[in-house]
């Protein structure tokens, strides 16, 4: 941080005004930062949901593929006569067709949409959300630093050019501090006297 210009100089007031301008948006930049973080978190949660859906869809594809293979080839599960629960549902062929319909829907409709959604989230949406967070964080830090530096200048001006009211308060503060120290010394002396009186009574 550069040294502050002399108090009451034109450069001092110019710097103070610049800092005032930068610090003015502190509350707003804080709110915008929180919004940006919330939106980033929402995008992360949405991505997690899509990734869970992807795992479920792939598990469904594996399940239906294995079911079709089992019913097509197994001597027991692939024989309609031995599967009474399928007699009124198209037999083993009906079961294969239902499994194939689920498989086709998962592979041709659901899976491409989910993959595209995840790709969009990972390559476009989340990077945009993160960039917005960093942008708002930069603005917030600029405002916060400006507010801090402005306060330093204000305190410097007060120290070097105190107002009559401030001088009066400072004098009163010094007087009170003196009275407190005096009272502490008197209290210590009084305690010593009392202690000596108790000692004298014991003799």
């Amino acid at each position: 941080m550069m040294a502050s210009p002399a108090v009451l100089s034109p450069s001092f007031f110019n710097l103070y005004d610049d800092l005032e301008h930068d610090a003015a948006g502190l509350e707003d930049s804080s709110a915008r930062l929180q919004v940006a973080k919330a939106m980033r978190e929402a995008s992360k949660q949405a991505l997690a949901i899509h990734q869970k859906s992807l795992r479920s869809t792939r598990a469904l594809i594996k399940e239906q593929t294995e079911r079709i293979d089992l019913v097509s080839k197994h001597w027991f599960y692939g024989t309609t006569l031995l599967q009474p629960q399928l007699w009124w549902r198209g037999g083993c062929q009906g079961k294969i067709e239902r499994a194939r319909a689920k498989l086709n829907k998962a592979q041709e409709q659901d899976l491409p949409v989910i993959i595209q959604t995840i790709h969009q989230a990972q390559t476009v949406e989340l990077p945009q959300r993160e960039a917005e967070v960093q942008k708002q964080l930069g603005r917030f830090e600029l405002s916060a630093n400006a507010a801090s530096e402005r306060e330093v200048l204000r305190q410097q001006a007060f120290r070097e050019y105190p107002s009559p009211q401030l001088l009066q308060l400072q004098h009163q503060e010094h007087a009170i501090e003196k009275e407190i120290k005096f009272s502490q010394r008197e209290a210590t002396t009084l305690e010593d006297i009392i202690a000596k009186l108790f000692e004298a009574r014991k003799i």
Side-chain angles (χ1 to χ4, degrees):
M1 180 176 169
M2 295 178 60
S4 301
V7 177
L8 299 186
S9 67
S11 57
F12 179 91
F13 288 112
N14 290 337
L15 176 59
Y16 190 88
D17 288 342
D18 289 342
L19 293 173
E20 178 74 21
H21 178 269
D22 291 339
L26 179 58
E27 184 175 347
D28 180 64
S29 61
S30 176
R32 288 177 180 271
L33 176 60
Q34 295 308 313
V35 170
K37 286 182 176 180
M39 294 181 69
R40 180 183 62 182
E41 184 61 27
S43 294
K44 287 182 177 180
Q45 292 178 0
L47 175 60
I49 292 173
H50 293 313
Q51 290 172 330
K52 182 179 179 181
S53 180
L54 177 61
R55 291 192 294 271
S56 299
T57 301
R58 283 175 171 166
L60 175 64
I61 290 173
K62 182 175 183 293
E63 177 188 3
Q64 298 306 321
T65 301
E66 292 174 349
R67 179 169 296 169
I68 292 171
D69 185 65
L70 178 67
V71 178
S72 298
K73 299 177 181 179
H74 199 277
W75 69 269
F76 179 78
Y77 294 108
T79 304
T80 300
L81 185 62
L82 301 177
Q83 304 297 319
Q85 74 277 12
L86 300 177
W87 288 353
W88 306 105
R89 302 183 62 201
C92 291
Q93 186 59 35
K95 185 173 184 178
I96 291 174
E97 290 174 357
R98 289 190 295 275
R100 185 170 286 117
K102 293 180 181 178
L103 177 62
N104 290 340
K105 180 179 181 297
Q107 287 181 324
E108 298 174 8
Q109 299 179 30
D110 300 339
L111 189 61
V113 171
I114 295 171
I115 291 177
Q116 176 60 29
T117 301
I118 290 175
H119 178 74
Q120 179 76 9
Q122 291 177 329
T123 61
V124 179
E125 185 175 337
L126 270 177
Q128 288 178 346
R129 300 297 188 205
E130 183 61 35
E132 182 65 16
V133 168
Q134 295 305 317
K135 174 183 175 182
Q136 297 304 330
L137 179 61
R139 289 180 175 178
F140 172 77
E141 290 178 345
L142 174 64
S143 296
N145 290 337
S148 177
E149 292 180 28
R150 181 193 59 179
E151 181 61 21
V152 170
L153 293 183
R154 193 172 72 89
Q155 294 298 329
Q156 180 184 351
F158 283 159
R159 286 194 304 272
E160 296 187 21
Y161 294 92
S163 66
Q165 292 84 358
L166 180 59
L167 285 174
Q168 184 179 2
L169 288 174
Q170 288 175 339
H171 288 315
Q172 291 176 356
E173 181 182 10
H174 293 323
I176 291 173
E177 288 177 353
K178 287 183 179 180
E179 289 182 7
I180 292 174
K181 290 179 180 179
F182 178 76
S183 298
Q184 289 174 340
R185 287 196 298 269
E186 290 295 316
T188 302
T189 302
L190 182 59
E191 288 176 358
D192 291 341
I193 294 174
I194 292 174
K196 290 178 180 178
L197 287 173
F198 273 114
E199 289 296 327
R201 287 182 179 178
K202 291 180 182 178
I203 297 176

